Amino acid sequence: MLKYIFTGYIESALSYAEYDKFEDGTFSGRIALCKGVIAFGKTLKECEEELQSTLEDWILVGLKLGHHIPIIEGYDLNKGYDVIKEPAHEPMAAV
């Protein structure tokens, strides 16, 4: 199955997410491999969604500013890929 590098990176990074539940019932999540990626939510689902959004923003800002993005499970975003560029083709399911 074709896997886009950006999607694969996000999925791999999220597999390293760690979540905590606070006394008030809210949640926090972080990805230790991606320094500074942390999120909060009233529910675990909300926290997971916020963490993914934070990770996506962190990657895009990091690439734009030329920061080194950690290599996760073989996904290396530092190789000069134009990850913001749209793919040259769309899967048939998207049509």
Side-chain angles (χ1 to χ4, degrees):
M1 175 180 223
L2 178 64
K3 188 154 230 177
Y4 295 100
I5 187 168
F6 195 67
T7 302
Y9 188 92
I10 291 169
E11 289 173 356
S12 294
L14 288 172
S15 73
Y16 290 93
E18 299 172 357
Y19 297 94
D20 292 309
K21 186 174 183 178
F22 296 116
E23 290 180 11
D24 66 356
T26 61
F27 292 85
S28 72
R30 69 185 186 98
I31 301 171
L33 295 171
C34 303
K35 190 173 182 174
V37 175
I38 187 168
F40 302 90
K42 292 179 182 177
T43 65
L44 180 57
K45 178 76 172 160
E46 184 180 301
C47 185
E48 290 170 335
E49 291 170 354
E50 186 65 27
L51 188 64
Q52 180 171 341
S53 176
T54 301
L55 174 63
E56 291 170 358
D57 292 344
W58 180 86
I59 293 168
L60 293 174
V61 169
L63 290 172
K64 183 167 180 74
L65 297 177
H67 295 169
H68 176 77
I69 306 297
I71 299 168
I72 299 178
E73 295 183 7
Y75 290 100
D76 185 354
L77 300 181
N78 303 293
K79 291 185 175 184
Y81 297 110
D82 187 0
V83 297
I84 300 171
K85 183 179 175 184
E86 291 188 26
H89 67 280
E90 289 288 327
M92 287 304 295
V95 177

